[in-house]
Amino acid sequence: MRGTAIPMFDRHGTALSQEARGELARKNGVCVKCGILTHDVKVFRRVPLTNEHVYAGKCIMCHPGDCPHEIVQAWEQKFKPRHTGMQAFVQNSSTRSSATTRKQFTTSSTRRGLKPTSKSKSPPPPAQRLDRRTSDITESFENSSDLRNLSSDDFGNRAQDFGNHSQDFGDYSHAQQLRRVDKSNPDFKNKSASRRNPSSLSTSKTSRSFISNKPETVNRIVSAGNYIGDGLQEDAETLAKSLKINISKPDVLKQKLHKLRNLGEECGTLYLIKELMERYQNSSIMLEVCCGVIWGITAKDDNKKVLAAETGTINTIVDIFQNSFCESNSNLVQWVIGSLSCLSRGSGNRQRIADVGAIEKMLDCMKKLSTSAGVFEWTCRTLYSLIHKYEEELNNESIAIQKNIISIEEHNGIQIVISAMKNYHNEANAQMWAIKVLWRLQDREDEAVSIRVLRNMDKAGGVSACVKVLRARSTTSLLFEATIVLLLNIISATQSNDVPLFNDEPDCIALVVRKMKEEYQNASFQEACCNLLAVIVSRNRAQFKESEGLREVVAALMNFSDNLPLCCAAINVLWTVSYRSTYFDQVNLVNSVSAVIIAHKKNPGNVQLLGPSCAFLANVLASSSARLDKIPIVIPFNALLLKSEDLILCNQAARVMSNMYIKYPSLLKTGFKSKHINSLVDCLGASSSDYLHAVYDVLTKLGILSDNYKIEILRAGCLKTAKSYIQSSRQGTLNQKVLRLISVLTSSQARAPIEMPNDIFLVLMSLKISSPGLLGQSCEVLRDLLASAIPGSKSLNFEGLVEFGCTIINDSHRSIKLKERACEVLWAFTAKQECSIKNLSLMYSSLLNLMSLYKGEQHPYESDLQSAAAGALASVTACMREADVELEMKDLEEFIHTIYTIMERDLNRTELLLKLLDSLLNLSILNELMVIQCGGVVVAIDIMVEHEHAESVQERGCSILAVLSSTENLQVNLCIAETDGVDMIISALATFSSNERIQVGACKTLSHLSVDVESRLLISSFGGVMLILNAMKSNKDNVDLLEGACMALLNLSSDAEDEVLSDPSVIETIVSFMHRHLDARRLQEAGLGILQNISMRKEDAKRRIAQAGGIDTAIKAIKDNMGAALVVERALTTLWSLAIYESNQIAIANAGGIDMVVNGMMAQITNAKVQQQASGCLCTLSLNSRNKTLIREAGGVDAIVYAMWAHFESEVVQAEACRALSNLALNVATQEVMIATDGEINNIIAAMRRFPDSEKCQEYSCLALRNFMLSVDNMVLIKSNLNELIGLLSHAAQRFPTKCSERANQMLEELQRS
């Protein structure tokens, strides 16, 4: 099959030498004359071919002398009949381009860039026109065949730029989504500079067409290289006659036809030419010449095109396709199709050409001649002429055009054209016409039809074909732009953004960026490239960065900032790339933002520009590495104030506002102020739901960002506006945003109370009926509002709130999640507002029932629901504790059972167990006995055991045990001891020494448990004494803890080992805290008791207590607690114990202890124990000679007498009083006897009389009387009771001979003697 001959000129227009053409043919493995393939060119060698046209690498037709004679003869016998008498014409045709001078192109007015003169009526050839647009197009011609050069340069199709035709190529306002243009939208009309179809693309500011719409004269059509005949000057009429005369002479006819073609005049020759075509229908050369004559004659005048059609020439030309040699003769096919291209411009000729099946036959030829670039080009030219309507044409052509479009589709024209594009991606001229054909096919009024056609193009491989064209070296900037436009439309109708659109996307990005650098002054080119980048860069950001595409896009944006479509496309690219901050360095980032700002200044308030700009800024601000000194806050703010219904715009504006304040908090003061918030709140009255979505989002994010913003938004009346909107609106999705905003505004770390509409709770509860789908969210908002409400508010209407929550909880048809929210509502309500006993009982029973229902027996276990219910129950029981609500045993038993079930299923969920423990603590305070009976002690200890290292669990557990053990019931104490309760208490005390609540609870529990002997021993064995002391030292000012600790130590000190109690730190700690908290009565009681117990255990302890300041502490305790009998009693007991040592006797006296003892006796005269301990203390203190005097001077003797009078029935008081008087009566050191009064003598005698069987009373009475009798003065008083006294002494001697007989007998002898 014949190929394309070697061109005569190189890519720069310089004529090639014969040697250069030969070398080029050798490299390509083709014949230098006809272009037939003669060698199979491998990478490193050339293999000569042998077939029916080639012998051993030599073309038989062009080089017969180099081939064997028999081979040449066989070839002529087989192929010569098709070329009889026409061999010379073939030779001329194959070398025509050599005579086609480049001078015509370079010297014409069109080539110089000047406007054509008025005399120039015909269009410049398409190749010349494209060459006028860009010099790169010459490369495509130099790679074309000679005949194709002839047809391309000499015979132009009357075609017009379709740049002013119908639809623009589309708007790509979103980097992630391609959308077809809505031609009804006024924003997209009449913008030739913004969205162009391929035919309207230009490399200069002035719009230029691909092909002129004016015919060219014959002189311009015929080039100097065309065959001009025999040199005789003949006019058209003469030539016509000569044709008739020589009708049977092909060689003469050929000369005359060439002349006629070059002359371009008709003179009735069309009929004759038609006759010649029919006569020579088997001669391809003659047919070529005839088609050329028709082309040349009709090119000058549309009327001649119509005349040619009327003569039946169209039918004759189309019939040529039926010849078998058309399947292999690409030159003939090009002449046939070219002539049809010319004729198609005649009025009605489109229809005529289509009616005779020309479209189907042309497509079939292009399919069969797949190796002929010329057939591809001229078929596309002709197809375009058949389906494109030019400005000067009448509307009656529209029907024919539409039919032709449908016909091309029906005959698989899209597939054929795209397949040819793939084969000839380096043929720039042909590719341009193919692009124009495909564009026209999809350029329909019906959007659905356009999409269907575009999808068919995609199925035919349109995307890959376009990509091949883009990557071809011969592709001009104009073709590059047109291809991008078509590619984008195909993509917009067919492709998804989630997958690559084609395999070479990364390489394509680098190519596009390079082209943008080259065509940096071409606005439409930059626009197309930016649109393509916006589509493919999302999957190839790394390649985009490597090719420095960002710099080119930003440059385009800055250079053409007044070009709105380009700005939109460029910012879409910025949006896509900004998805990852790593693709921006600091310089590019600053330049990009600056370019966006400039674009908005040139196009203020444009909706198309605001959307991607906001998205870009939002991504930039979300980046942690971005650092900007200038941020255009006006862009997102203006986007919101436009009140647009564009959802993308609104959402992106909301994003940029949120990210801006998160990244740049300084803008809180400088960028966004109260007036802005007021403006946004005022915008909540807009009618657009999409807009309201965005505004509510912005306000919500601002509220989340700062509590100050919450205050500003609330001050602007947002809460009232939102409440009103909920009342009046039934838009579920927007109501969700409103509820979300309310929730944010009413939630903060501080939970400061806020003012709110008094009926807001009623409005939110009404959503249960009006918007059931929002019930869950309304519960969340109710919860947050209740948490922010003023505690104990009387102005807010909570009517029906408890019933609202309990109804949801008890409704079996409600979802688990909704029940959780209802529990949270009740939780928040009871935490701040007062509740009636009725409501508390209702909530208590509902929550217990809910927890029991979903504990895994009747219904599946629901952990989150149990947590919410337990939290609400803890709050409810806290209120019940204050209201003193009565409990029922069955409810408590069910609650304890539920706790155990939860422990089995959710043991590791600590926060749930904490809430259960809180409820158990509240119930224990409310009725500890009932909780004990239901097993509350065991369940609390079990939880503590399972979570031994959980501080919060141990805290609650210790508090519960402290309450339950306060009953000091032996069975409770035993239960705690047997269930490892003591072990857990001691462990918590040791492990969590910094937790004050644990220390308090543990100490109180131990104080109650230590009343039992076994428990005391267990506590001591675990080191409880020292742990309690450590707790006291760590919490010096916690009186509650200190009192509990001292009470525990008081009990423990009665049984503890001496080694433990003898530790100096024990005494020092107790004394120091007693001195620190003199006004803590219980602390004083317990502390004095501890000192008392310690002092009685070991003798040296008495000295240590005194050294630690125990004496002063005891004296101060009496002084500060005169009205506290137990304090006075234990202080006196302690002083009595300490007074055994003489040094302590002196210390007590020096500290004023004697006066305090006497005062204590008088203050608590009615308390027998105080009188007993005081008498004993005075007795011991009186062992010191000086103290005897001090006691008498302080009124100690009188105090003893008063005690004996007040407690005459108390044996111990009488005994201790007599003993004290016996010591006071006699001062051995001074040899003095106290002068007695009737009171002392009579009370002693009365004690003997009242307690005759009391050994101590009789003993101490005898001793006291004997000491008093040592004074003569006292004998007088004693003798006054002589008779009774003799009897009492005789009885005492007889009853207690060991203790009393000696002293009694002495006194009897003395009395008898006197």
Side-chain angles (χ1 to χ4, degrees):
M1 184 174 294
R2 298 294 165 182
T4 302
I6 300 302
M8 303 298 297
F9 304 90
D10 64 11
R11 61 186 299 174
H12 303 294
T14 304
L16 294 173
S17 65
Q18 189 65 27
E19 291 77 14
R21 294 180 72 243
E23 180 63 22
L24 185 60
R26 191 188 70 81
K27 289 182 178 179
N28 293 334
V30 298
C31 175
V32 70
K33 295 182 179 181
C34 67
I36 193 170
L37 188 64
T38 60
H39 290 75
D40 184 10
V41 181
K42 304 295 185 180
V43 178
F44 298 106
R45 60 194 179 94
R46 298 167 69 250
V47 180
L49 301 177
T50 298
N51 53 41
E52 58 183 2
H53 294 289
V54 179
Y55 178 80
K58 300 293 184 180
C59 175
I60 301 173
M61 182 183 71
C62 300
H63 303 279
D66 296 334
C67 303
H69 176 72
E70 60 271 21
I71 298 296
V72 176
Q73 187 177 12
W75 181 88
E76 288 178 348
Q77 290 177 355
K78 186 175 182 180
F79 298 102
K80 190 173 182 179
R82 298 179 59 188
H83 302 280
T84 302
M86 304 298 286
Q87 185 65 33
F89 183 79
V90 172
Q91 295 298 328
N92 289 334
S93 297
S94 65
T95 58
R96 284 169 185 166
S97 63
S98 63
T100 305
T101 62
R102 300 300 285 182
K103 184 177 181 181
Q104 283 184 302
F105 295 125
T106 57
T107 59
S108 66
S109 61
T110 304
R111 179 60 178 168
R112 290 193 304 268
L114 303 177
K115 295 183 178 180
T117 62
S118 60
K119 296 180 180 180
S120 178
K121 296 181 179 180
S122 61
Q128 185 175 348
R129 182 61 174 173
L130 286 172
D131 190 62
R132 176 187 174 193
R133 296 292 300 275
T134 172
S135 60
D136 293 340
I137 197 64
T138 59
E139 181 181 353
S140 65
F141 297 137
E142 292 161 0
N143 295 329
S144 303
S145 67
D146 298 323
L147 179 57
R148 186 163 165 247
N149 280 328
L150 168 68
S151 57
S152 298
D153 294 339
D154 296 349
F155 299 100
N157 172 29
R158 280 192 72 189
Q160 178 198 2
D161 170 27
F162 57 89
N164 48 19
H165 180 73
S166 75
Q167 178 184 323
D168 294 327
F169 71 81
D171 171 52
Y172 303 90
S173 60
H174 194 300
Q176 306 299 327
Q177 181 178 2
L178 295 170
R179 299 183 296 178
R180 294 279 299 174
V181 178
D182 182 3
K183 289 180 283 188
S184 63
N185 188 343
D187 291 338
F188 296 95
K189 292 181 178 180
N190 301 322
K191 296 182 179 180
S192 60
S194 60
R195 297 184 307 277
R196 302 173 183 270
N197 56 38
S199 61
S200 64
L201 300 173
S202 174
T203 58
S204 64
K205 295 182 179 179
T206 306
S207 177
R208 298 179 179 179
S209 60
F210 291 122
I211 314 171
S212 173
N213 60 352
K214 298 298 182 181
E216 194 175 275
T217 63
V218 175
N219 293 334
R220 291 294 302 280
I221 293 176
V222 181
S223 65
N226 284 340
Y227 184 78
I228 61 174
D230 52 11
L232 300 176
Q233 297 293 329
E234 295 176 288
D235 58 14
E237 186 176 354
T238 303
L239 289 172
K241 292 178 181 180
S242 179
L243 290 174
K244 292 177 182 179
I245 295 171
N246 300 290
I247 194 169
S248 61
K249 300 177 180 180
D251 292 337
V252 177
L253 286 176
K254 183 183 68 171
Q255 295 177 2
K256 302 303 178 183
L257 287 172
H258 275 304
K259 282 187 175 184
L260 184 60
R261 182 197 66 190
N262 295 339
L263 189 61
E265 297 182 4
E266 192 265 329
C267 293
T269 57
L270 288 174
Y271 288 95
L272 181 58
I273 295 171
K274 176 179 178 295
E275 182 180 349
L276 289 174
M277 294 175 69
E278 293 173 351
R279 182 181 182 90
Y280 292 95
Q281 60 180 338
N282 292 323
S283 173
S284 62
I285 299 299
M286 187 61 75
L287 291 175
E288 291 178 13
V289 176
C290 290
C291 289
V293 174
I294 295 173
W295 194 344
I297 292 173
T298 59
K300 298 170 64 175
D301 190 350
D302 286 350
N303 292 328
K304 292 181 180 181
K305 295 179 178 67
V306 178
L307 179 60
E310 292 174 350
T311 63
T313 303
I314 292 177
N315 294 37
T316 304
I317 294 174
V318 174
D319 288 341
I320 297 175
F321 287 116
Q322 298 178 2
N323 293 338
S324 59
F325 50 74
C326 275
E327 297 180 1
S328 59
N329 193 333
S330 60
N331 284 339
L332 174 59
V333 172
Q334 291 181 61
W335 283 104
V336 172
I337 296 175
S339 61
L340 289 176
S341 174
C342 180
L343 292 172
S344 65
R345 288 300 309 276
S347 178
N349 283 2
R350 286 192 182 91
Q351 186 65 44
R352 296 185 181 96
I353 293 172
D355 289 345
V356 295
I359 293 177
E360 178 182 0
K361 293 173 182 177
M362 285 189 294
L363 291 171
D364 186 56
C365 283
M366 185 165 66
K367 184 177 181 181
K368 292 179 179 178
L369 297 171
S370 58
T371 60
S372 174
V375 172
F376 168 43
E377 176 184 339
W378 281 101
T379 301
C380 291
R381 285 174 178 263
T382 307
L383 291 175
Y384 181 71
S385 183
L386 291 174
I387 61 178
H388 179 63
K389 182 178 181 297
Y390 302 95
E391 287 184 353
E392 69 275 11
E393 292 182 331
L394 301 176
N395 290 330
N396 56 9
E397 291 290 332
S398 298
I399 297 176
I401 289 174
Q402 294 302 320
K403 289 183 178 179
N404 292 345
I405 290 175
I406 295 173
S407 180
I408 293 174
E409 287 189 65
E410 291 177 346
H411 293 97
N412 205 21
I414 294 176
Q415 174 70 48
I416 294 172
V417 171
I418 291 176
S419 297
M421 289 176 66
K422 294 179 181 178
N423 294 333
Y424 297 102
H425 52 271
N426 282 318
E427 297 291 337
N429 199 29
Q431 294 290 354
M432 178 61 78
W433 287 103
I435 293 292
K436 293 170 73 172
V437 169
L438 293 176
W439 180 267
R440 184 63 188 89
L441 290 175
Q442 64 85 44
D443 187 17
R444 307 292 185 87
E445 294 294 333
D446 190 340
E447 184 77 9
V449 175
S450 294
I451 293 176
R452 177 182 58 79
V453 174
L454 288 168
R455 288 177 178 172
N456 289 338
M457 292 181 187
D458 180 63
K459 292 178 181 178
V463 172
S464 60
C466 289
V467 173
K468 283 188 175 182
V469 174
L470 293 177
R471 299 186 65 185
R473 292 177 60 85
S474 62
T475 300
T476 65
S477 60
L478 186 62
L479 176 58
F480 196 90
E481 181 182 348
T483 305
I484 287 179
V485 173
L486 178 63
L487 175 62
L488 288 172
N489 259 22
I490 296 175
I491 292 172
S492 68
T494 58
Q495 296 292 342
S496 169
N497 290 323
D498 298 329
V499 296
L501 304 176
F502 46 86
N503 294 330
D504 301 326
E505 278 188 1
D507 295 336
C508 189
I509 286 181
L511 175 63
V512 171
V513 173
R514 178 171 59 82
K515 288 289 187 179
M516 290 180 71
K517 293 179 182 178
E518 297 172 359
E519 298 291 330
Y520 65 92
Q521 293 182 335
N522 188 335
S524 62
F525 187 90
Q526 298 287 327
E527 177 187 339
C529 290
C530 286
N531 274 314
L532 180 59
L533 290 175
V535 175
I536 64 177
V537 76
S538 61
R539 292 170 296 277
N540 305 278
R541 294 183 177 91
Q543 291 76 11
F544 182 74
K545 180 182 179 182
E546 291 175 3
S547 60
E548 297 184 346
L550 186 62
R551 184 176 61 184
E552 297 306 317
V553 171
V554 172
L557 185 59
M558 288 185 171
N559 293 337
F560 304 101
S561 58
D562 55 346
N563 186 327
L564 179 59
L566 186 148
C567 291
C568 291
I571 296 177
N572 272 325
V573 176
L574 297 180
W575 175 8
T576 305
V577 177
S578 64
Y579 175 75
R580 289 187 180 178
S581 60
T582 55
Y583 299 117
F584 282 83
D585 57 30
Q586 187 62 26
V587 175
N588 281 334
L589 179 63
V590 173
N591 291 340
S592 299
V593 174
S594 300
V596 171
I597 295 173
I598 294 172
H600 276 274
K601 289 181 179 179
K602 293 293 183 68
N603 304 276
N606 187 276
V607 177
Q608 300 175 47
L609 201 58
L610 284 171
S613 298
C614 288
F616 164 66
L617 291 173
N619 287 347
V620 168
L621 293 171
S623 168
S624 59
S625 60
R627 295 293 181 270
L628 296 173
D629 296 330
K630 185 178 181 181
I631 301 176
I633 189 174
V634 68
I635 293 178
F637 185 70
N638 287 343
L640 291 175
L641 294 186
L642 283 176
K643 300 183 180 180
S644 171
E645 296 186 4
D646 188 335
L647 180 58
I648 295 177
L649 172 61
C650 297
N651 287 343
Q652 297 304 333
R655 280 188 64 224
V656 69
M657 296 291 284
S658 176
N659 292 344
M660 186 179 298
Y661 297 124
I662 293 174
K663 182 78 178 290
Y664 297 91
S666 60
L667 287 178
L668 294 174
K669 297 182 179 179
T670 60
F672 209 84
K673 300 180 180 179
S674 298
K675 64 178 182 179
H676 295 137
I677 291 181
N678 292 334
S679 298
L680 288 178
V681 174
D682 291 341
C683 290
L684 294 179
S687 59
S688 170
S689 60
D690 287 341
Y691 175 73
L692 290 176
H693 274 281
V695 176
Y696 275 112
D697 275 341
V698 171
L699 292 174
T700 300
K701 291 172 182 176
L702 290 176
I704 294 173
L705 181 63
S706 168
D707 284 349
N708 292 332
Y709 278 132
K710 292 178 184 178
I711 297 172
E712 293 292 338
I713 296 171
L714 289 170
R715 286 177 180 173
C718 184
L719 200 58
K720 183 177 181 181
T721 303
K723 187 264 299 184
S724 301
Y725 186 86
I726 294 174
Q727 278 183 302
S728 60
S729 173
R730 293 296 181 266
Q731 295 188 24
T733 56
L734 188 52
N735 275 341
Q736 289 180 355
K737 295 287 182 71
V738 178
L739 293 174
R740 171 64 173 156
L741 174 60
I742 297 176
S743 180
V744 168
L745 294 178
T746 54
S747 61
S748 65
Q749 295 294 331
R751 287 287 186 184
I754 60 174
E755 294 290 340
M756 56 187 71
N758 58 2
D759 61 340
I760 191 169
F761 294 99
L762 300 179
V763 172
L764 292 172
M765 286 189 286
S766 67
L767 290 175
K768 179 180 180 182
I769 300 174
S770 61
S771 301
L774 298 177
L775 188 54
Q777 195 172 3
S778 66
C779 286
E780 293 180 3
V781 175
L782 282 171
R783 174 199 63 199
D784 293 334
L785 284 171
L786 288 167
S788 300
I790 299 174
S793 175
K794 302 298 182 182
S795 60
L796 295 175
N797 190 345
F798 300 112
E799 182 180 356
L801 184 62
V802 172
E803 291 79 3
F804 170 83
C806 291
T807 301
I808 295 175
I809 289 174
N810 296 326
D811 189 347
S812 59
H813 299 291
R814 296 295 185 184
S815 67
I816 300 300
K817 185 61 67 175
L818 185 58
K819 291 178 183 289
E820 290 179 27
R821 298 294 175 265
C823 291
E824 292 171 355
V825 170
L826 298 181
W827 187 352
F829 175 65
T830 53
K832 281 200 171 185
Q833 307 302 328
E834 296 180 358
C835 302
S836 64
I837 294 179
K838 177 183 177 181
N839 284 338
L840 289 173
S841 299
L842 176 61
M843 289 185 285
Y844 177 68
S845 60
S846 297
L847 291 169
L848 284 179
N849 180 64
L850 179 66
M851 296 176 70
S852 176
L853 195 62
Y854 290 95
K855 64 184 180 182
E857 296 177 355
Q858 301 180 36
H859 294 282
Y861 178 76
E862 296 291 343
S863 179
D864 291 339
L865 179 60
Q866 291 288 358
S867 179
L873 184 64
S875 182
V876 170
T877 53
C879 295
M880 293 171 61
R881 187 178 71 187
E882 301 297 330
D884 198 21
V885 178
E886 293 185 3
L887 301 179
E888 294 187 9
M889 183 69 73
K890 63 176 183 178
D891 291 336
L892 269 177
E893 290 175 348
E894 182 61 33
F895 177 59
I896 299 297
H897 179 64
T898 300
I899 294 177
Y900 275 116
T901 305
I902 292 174
M903 289 177 63
E904 293 175 2
R905 298 178 177 271
D906 227 349
L907 183 60
N908 295 326
R909 187 163 184 175
T910 307
E911 52 90 13
L912 171 56
L913 296 177
L914 290 177
K915 296 169 185 176
L916 295 173
L917 289 174
D918 285 336
S919 299
L920 185 61
L921 175 60
N922 294 331
L923 295 173
S924 298
I925 295 173
L926 192 61
N927 193 327
E928 68 273 14
L929 294 177
M930 189 177 292
V931 172
I932 291 171
Q933 293 177 15
C934 294
V937 172
V938 179
V939 73
I941 295 175
D942 287 344
I943 295 176
M944 292 178 70
V945 171
E946 295 294 341
H947 293 274
E948 182 176 358
H949 301 291
E951 182 175 351
S952 53
V953 171
Q954 298 301 316
E955 179 182 314
R956 268 78 167 183
C958 290
S959 298
I960 292 171
L961 293 179
V963 174
L964 298 180
S965 62
S966 63
T967 58
E968 297 188 354
N969 183 286
L970 182 60
Q971 295 298 324
V972 174
N973 292 354
L974 181 62
C975 178
I976 294 174
E978 291 179 349
T979 55
D980 296 330
V982 174
D983 189 8
M984 294 311 303
I985 292 295
I986 296 297
S987 175
L989 197 62
T991 305
F992 306 104
S993 58
S994 61
N995 188 311
E996 191 170 336
R997 293 189 62 183
I998 289 180
Q999 301 296 306
V1000 171
C1003 289
K1004 284 187 175 182
T1005 304
L1006 293 177
S1007 70
H1008 301 312
L1009 294 177
S1010 59
V1011 299
D1012 176 61
V1013 176
E1014 293 183 1
S1015 297
R1016 287 199 298 271
L1017 295 175
L1018 189 59
I1019 294 169
S1020 298
S1021 66
F1022 288 149
V1025 173
M1026 298 309 300
L1027 289 174
I1028 293 172
L1029 287 172
N1030 292 336
M1032 295 175 67
K1033 294 176 183 178
S1034 300
N1035 301 273
K1036 297 179 180 180
D1037 295 318
N1038 191 323
V1039 176
D1040 196 24
L1041 181 147
L1042 295 174
E1043 289 178 349
C1046 288
M1047 293 298 295
L1049 289 175
L1050 174 61
N1051 295 331
L1052 293 172
S1053 63
S1054 62
D1055 300 294
E1057 296 179 357
D1058 292 341
E1059 291 79 3
V1060 175
L1061 295 178
S1062 62
D1063 192 316
S1065 63
V1066 177
I1067 298 173
E1068 292 173 359
T1069 300
I1070 299 301
V1071 172
S1072 65
F1073 282 113
M1074 289 182 64
H1075 182 74
R1076 188 184 186 92
H1077 301 282
L1078 294 172
D1079 55 344
R1081 182 173 296 181
R1082 293 188 62 208
L1083 175 60
Q1084 298 297 321
E1085 292 176 6
L1088 290 168
I1090 296 169
L1091 295 177
Q1092 174 185 335
N1093 290 342
I1094 293 175
S1095 66
M1096 293 179 180
R1097 298 291 291 274
K1098 294 185 72 174
E1099 294 300 323
D1100 60 341
K1102 295 178 174 60
R1103 294 190 181 91
R1104 291 199 299 273
I1105 293 174
Q1107 292 171 358
I1111 294 175
D1112 290 338
T1113 300
I1115 293 172
K1116 289 180 180 179
I1118 298 174
K1119 181 179 179 181
D1120 294 336
N1121 298 276
M1122 284 292 184
L1126 187 57
V1127 174
V1128 175
E1129 175 195 345
R1130 290 184 174 173
L1132 293 172
T1133 304
T1134 302
L1135 291 176
W1136 183 2
S1137 177
L1138 297 176
I1140 292 176
Y1141 287 102
E1142 183 177 2
S1143 60
N1144 290 344
Q1145 297 169 5
I1146 298 171
I1148 293 172
N1150 292 338
I1154 294 175
D1155 290 336
M1156 287 299 103
V1157 171
V1158 173
N1159 292 340
M1161 289 183 68
M1162 300 306 296
Q1164 297 290 336
I1165 191 64
T1166 59
N1167 190 302
K1169 290 185 177 182
V1170 172
Q1171 302 305 315
Q1172 175 189 350
Q1173 300 301 323
S1175 298
C1177 182
L1178 291 176
C1179 175
T1180 305
L1181 289 173
S1182 64
L1183 294 176
N1184 181 275
S1185 175
R1186 176 173 172 269
N1187 288 349
K1188 295 179 188 291
T1189 304
L1190 294 176
I1191 292 172
R1192 288 195 292 268
E1193 291 175 354
V1197 175
D1198 294 335
I1200 294 172
V1201 172
Y1202 294 151
M1204 296 179 73
W1205 284 343
H1207 302 280
F1208 61 92
E1209 294 180 352
S1210 175
E1211 177 183 349
V1212 292
V1213 172
Q1214 297 297 323
E1216 290 298 334
C1218 290
R1219 188 160 73 96
L1221 290 176
S1222 68
N1223 281 350
L1224 291 171
L1226 177 64
N1227 189 336
V1228 177
T1230 61
Q1231 294 297 312
E1232 294 177 347
V1233 178
M1234 182 185 73
I1235 303 302
T1237 64
D1238 292 340
E1240 291 88 12
I1241 301 302
N1242 291 336
N1243 277 299
I1244 293 172
I1245 295 172
M1248 294 182 71
R1249 185 191 315 119
R1250 188 167 293 109
F1251 301 102
D1253 297 324
S1254 174
E1255 182 180 24
K1256 288 186 177 183
C1257 279
Q1258 297 300 319
E1259 177 186 0
Y1260 296 144
S1261 296
C1262 292
L1263 179 59
L1265 288 174
R1266 191 208 62 178
N1267 289 342
F1268 278 118
M1269 289 176 65
L1270 294 176
S1271 171
V1272 177
D1273 296 333
N1274 292 337
M1275 284 294 295
V1276 177
L1277 293 175
I1278 295 173
K1279 287 182 179 180
S1280 62
N1281 299 292
L1282 181 62
N1283 295 330
E1284 181 182 10
L1285 186 58
I1286 292 173
L1288 292 174
L1289 290 173
S1290 299
H1291 173 75
Q1294 294 177 1
R1295 181 74 175 81
F1296 304 105
T1298 305
K1299 298 291 183 180
C1300 300
S1301 60
E1302 181 179 356
R1303 295 186 183 93
N1305 292 330
Q1306 288 178 357
M1307 286 188 287
L1308 288 173
E1309 291 176 359
E1310 184 66 28
L1311 289 173
Q1312 291 175 358
R1313 221 180 9 254
S1314 61

